[in-house]
């Protein structure tokens, strides 16, 4: 996710699912980017001091099913 290119960067990026909230605090010397392990569908929030709050839904991520051996 790309943030705005302002002098004052975003102050946080959050990934919210129905059962978890993962938050990345950003500081002025950091680039406005983060990596989150996506488990199911959720929403990414980015707060920019200049442009306000951005919201983006994430696609549903299906896990690969593994077959179990009958041992």
């Amino acid at each position: 996710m790309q943030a705005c290119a302002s002098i004052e960067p975003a102050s946080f990026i959050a990934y919210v699912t129905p059962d978890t909230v993962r938050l990345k605090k950003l500081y002025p010397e950091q680039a406005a980017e983060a990596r989150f392990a996506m488990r199911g569908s959720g929403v990414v929030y980015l707060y920019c001091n200049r442009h306000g709050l951005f919201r983006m839904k994430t696609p549903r991520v299906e896990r690969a099913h593994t077959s179990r051996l009958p041992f």
Side-chain angles (χ1 to χ4, degrees):
M1 175 177 218
Q2 293 291 333
C4 61
S6 65
I7 296 171
E8 301 173 14
S11 61
F12 73 86
I13 299 174
Y15 175 57
V16 180
T17 62
D19 60 345
T20 61
V21 175
R22 295 168 195 243
L23 185 67
K24 169 81 172 170
K25 170 81 171 116
L26 299 174
Y27 298 96
E29 62 273 4
Q30 284 183 301
E33 60 186 36
R35 290 181 180 231
F36 298 107
M38 299 178 111
R39 305 219 193 299
S41 61
V43 179
V44 175
Y45 292 96
L46 170 98
Y47 180 74
C48 173
N49 294 333
R50 178 182 253 178
H51 298 102
L53 185 65
F54 293 88
R55 179 177 183 251
M56 181 181 76
K57 289 185 179 181
T58 61
R60 181 164 175 79
V61 178
E62 297 291 333
R63 290 187 177 199
H65 296 285
T66 58
S67 60
R68 294 184 179 245
L69 298 175
F71 297 142

